[in-house]
Amino acid sequence: MSDSPAPSSAGPSATFPIGHGLAAALLGGILLVWGGLMGMSLQRAALPDATDGMMLAVFSPGTSDAEAMAAMVRAGGEPVRSTWLGFAWVARGVEPGFVGRLKAEGALAAFGELPVGPTLGGCTATPVDTAKIAATRLQ
């Protein structure tokens, strides 16, 4: 007989019974709260149906470019450019009610101009603010 203790079958989880479950539950809770807040924010940021002008038109993920372009044209607007998302397009409608017609053609929502497009200058990125640029005078 040896003097060494018998191997335990309990393993490391017996010492810390919670394990990674607590971290996963915490992460899941944070993502759930964040998703709910983002959903509410996007719902409130959506343009009303009577709006026209330049906007971000959002379609269902998986909508082809041809389907999105056709929907924008049928709604009485014009596609300006696609975005890196693939299902979101910058569109322009010149007649009131463009957003409502766009939704009738399959868009999920439309959002106004968002100040998220960065202008790169050296190593920094700053938001595009054309009014600030126009008001700046060189001394």
Side-chain angles (χ1 to χ4, degrees), residues 57 59 63-74 79 86-89 102 105:
F59 295 89
T63 301
S64 71
D65 291 347
E67 291 171 333
M69 289 174 64
M72 289 181 271
V73 170
R74 284 192 308 264
F87 57 88
W89 282 75
L102 199 55
E105 292 295 334

Side-chain angles (χ1 to χ4, degrees), residues 1-7:
M1 294 197 65
S2 70
D3 292 336
S4 64

Side-chain angles (χ1 to χ4, degrees), residues 19-108:
H20 295 289
L22 179 62
L26 184 60
L27 176 64
I30 290 170
L31 289 176
L32 186 65
V33 169
W34 177 82
L37 291 174
M38 283 301 295
M40 287 176 26
S41 296
L42 287 174
Q43 184 180 21
R44 291 182 180 201
L47 294 172
D49 289 350
T51 308
D52 59 22
M54 188 81 73
M55 63 193 64
L56 181 69
V58 179
F59 295 89
S60 298
T63 301
S64 71
D65 291 347
E67 291 171 333
M69 289 174 64
M72 289 181 271
V73 170
R74 284 192 308 264
E78 58 187 30
V80 175
R81 65 179 174 85
S82 63
T83 66
W84 61 273
L85 290 172
F87 57 88
W89 282 75
V90 176
R92 180 182 307 124
V94 293
E95 304 216 5
F98 177 62
V99 172
R101 293 189 305 273
L102 199 55
K103 287 180 183 177
E105 292 295 334
L108 297 176

Side-chain angles (χ1 to χ4, degrees), residues 99-127:
V99 172
R101 293 189 305 273
L102 199 55
K103 287 180 183 177
E105 292 295 334
L108 297 176
F111 301 97
E113 186 175 343
L114 302 174
V116 294
T119 300
L120 296 178
C123 299
T124 64
T126 58

